[in-house]
Amino acid sequence: MIAFLDLAADFSEVEADARRRIDTVLAKQQFVLGAQTAELETRVREMSGAPAALACSSGSDALYLALVALGIGPGDAVAVPGFTFFASAGAVARAGAQPVFCDIDPASFVAGGEQFEAAIGREFEGCAGQLRHRRSGARLRALMPVHLYGRAAPMAQLAQVAGARRLAIIEDAAQAIGATIDGRWVGRFGSVGCFSFYPTKNLGGAGDGGMLLTDDAATAARLQRLRVHGASASDPYLHREVGINARMGELQAAVLNAKLGHLAVWTERRRWVAARYLERLAPPARAGALILPQVAAESQQVWHQFAVRVAERRDEVAARMEADGVAVRVFYPRPLHLQPCFAELGYQTGDLPGCERAAQQVLCLPIYPSLRADDVDRVCESLIAALAG
Ligand SMILES: Cc1ncc(COP(=O)(O)O)c(C=O)c1O
């Protein structure tokens, strides 16, 4: 059996340090926002080069806090790709704003300038220097690019789209810790970058966790307050605005600190697995049986997922591989513009063909640091046999 993930193997590499750190937390009995969290924030700040790194309760809460910190709420709209994990759009709705969905680039699975431009042109009209949604009147305030599967969205293009319209950019970098464009971490191109430490992420905790990066001191200060119910830094019982409880737990931070030093090596191993998949699967791809993910030319991706496209009968191929003892996953089988909770926004099947096709065709293969060469080869054999039917 080839598992889809092997978190135990990753943990075994850091177990001694993690247990030592957990013992320290237990001895101190300080369980939230303590020394482990401070160390994690310092190290992420140093690694990313961001002046401010704030640990929080989850990637979902990071996105929500970013929106609130930028003053986005009821009456506002935020453009989000229709093909991503639910949390990207969920955070917008939770902030009281309207998600507006854009298509993705079929070659990279991420939304770029062209796709955001198309959504803006289709759904908004200019009104007194602002962009207002044609039906709801909501004002477009921000773009939320998603670095899906660990591949950077084209941030230079997006900066142009946003800059021309004075829109903020909130980066959903939940799947892309350590991915870079010209050496700069994703999450550092927009106003705020949001990361997830969900256990299956490239840097995963022992539960939920997240991180916010920003270059702006005022935004950092506001995020810091919003993370603790809006309490002011100097007086914890003075609330000038309402925040949420988005504190990071010390036990999480302890595990993340133990793993953080391994992230670079683990990312290299993921790159090695991806390269082997690309080599082994090149013949069936040339024969037209599947489409392989691209290696990005303009960025250094971190391969959170290795996502192939199977043009026909993807679910049958997945079922055959599972029956053959190879675990595969479909991330994501239903695009967000067609989710029942967003029905009132009025999207129809056919509105975002790139997202809908990706949802029908995508198939994610196992990719993780401990996967060995013979495991990769076994996955490839299984996929090739499943495609042949
Ligand atoms: C693209 C994307 N955005 C947001 C999130 C939300 O992160 P979390 O699960 O930590 O809340 C995730 C991960 O789950 C994700 O994959």
Side-chain angles (χ1 to χ4, degrees):
M1 178 78 199
I2 310 276
F4 190 71
L5 275 173
D6 190 348
L7 297 181
D10 294 352
F11 188 67
S12 70
E13 294 186 37
V14 301
E15 185 163 353
D17 188 23
R19 288 192 186 279
R20 190 179 48 75
R21 288 172 179 275
I22 288 168
D23 278 347
T24 313
V25 174
L26 293 177
K28 267 197 187 160
Q29 294 281 303
Q30 184 184 357
F31 291 114
V32 290
L33 297 180
Q36 291 294 327
T37 304
E39 180 183 335
L40 182 67
E41 291 178 337
T42 302
R43 290 170 69 192
V44 170
R45 221 169 34 232
E46 286 167 4
M47 287 169 76
S48 67
L54 295 169
C56 67
S57 41
S58 69
S60 305
D61 286 344
L63 291 167
Y64 169 80
L65 291 174
L67 290 156
V68 176
L70 296 177
I72 295 170
D76 295 331
V78 177
V80 188
F83 186 70
T84 168
F85 180 59
F86 181 81
S88 315
V92 175
R94 188 174 155 208
Q98 176 183 341
V100 170
F101 293 109
C102 69
D103 213 346
I104 55 163
D105 167 18
S108 64
F109 291 105
V110 303
E114 195 184 310
Q115 290 77 30
F116 277 102
E117 290 264 14
I120 294 170
R122 189 180 61 237
E123 302 213 26
F124 292 88
E125 58 196 3
C127 175
Q130 299 175 349
L131 285 164
R132 294 276 173 187
H133 194 264
R134 290 182 203 279
R135 275 191 297 116
S136 69
R139 179 183 161 202
L140 184 62
R141 296 284 313 283
L143 310 181
M144 185 185 283
V146 180
H147 306 295
L148 198 72
Y149 303 150
R151 179 180 174 141
M155 295 311 297
Q157 272 178 27
L158 296 176
Q160 281 189 354
V161 175
R165 299 169 176 88
R166 282 180 290 146
L167 304 172
I169 295 180
I170 294 167
E171 293 178 67
D172 183 340
Q175 301 187 0
I177 191 163
T180 54
I181 301 174
D182 292 333
R184 186 179 173 99
W185 265 37
V186 300
R188 290 207 56 216
F189 291 86
S191 302
V192 185
C194 304
F195 295 83
S196 166
F197 299 132
Y198 183 72
T200 61
K201 294 291 192 272
N202 289 22
L203 179 65
D208 284 307
M211 181 72 74
L212 291 140
L213 297 188
T214 181
D215 277 35
D216 182 65
T219 305
R222 191 162 183 201
L223 286 167
Q224 207 151 11
R225 289 192 298 271
L226 288 167
R227 175 175 74 166
V228 288
H229 291 295
S232 66
S234 56
D235 181 347
Y237 296 101
L238 179 66
H239 303 261
R240 290 203 168 84
E241 64 181 330
V242 177
I244 59 172
N245 169 10
R247 298 179 294 235
M248 171 165 279
E250 282 287 279
L251 294 169
Q252 283 314 327
V255 171
L256 291 165
N257 277 323
K259 288 186 170 183
L260 188 57
H262 284 59
L263 181 62
V265 171
W266 286 346
T267 299
E268 283 314 313
R269 288 202 222 150
R270 285 175 179 273
R271 289 182 174 139
W272 177 85
V273 170
R276 192 167 181 102
Y277 272 137
L278 290 170
E279 184 197 314
R280 298 288 149 131
L281 294 173
R286 270 196 299 275
L290 81 164
I291 299 172
L292 293 172
Q294 294 173 334
V295 177
E298 68 296 341
S299 66
Q300 296 70 49
Q301 71 224 81
V302 294
W303 297 102
H304 177 58
Q305 299 296 345
F306 188 90
V308 303
R309 279 177 189 267
V310 177
E312 304 285 332
R313 292 174 298 150
R314 183 265 325 269
D315 292 344
E316 284 175 33
V317 170
R320 278 188 208 118
M321 291 182 76
E322 291 279 348
D324 186 35
V326 174
V328 291
R329 296 281 186 278
V330 172
F331 300 127
Y332 300 92
R334 192 189 290 268
L336 299 189
H337 65 293
L338 301 178
Q339 292 290 349
C341 64
F342 295 132
E344 67 189 27
L345 298 175
Y347 292 96
Q348 307 290 333
T349 300
D351 283 348
L352 301 176
C355 296
E356 292 163 31
R357 214 172 304 121
Q360 281 165 5
Q361 297 183 340
V362 74
L363 185 66
C364 297
L365 308 182
I367 186 162
Y368 42 91
S370 61
L371 210 59
R372 296 174 323 220
D374 52 342
D375 298 329
V376 175
D377 296 350
R378 164 102 172 76
V379 175
C380 294
E381 281 159 23
S382 179
L383 173 58
I384 291 166
L387 288 165

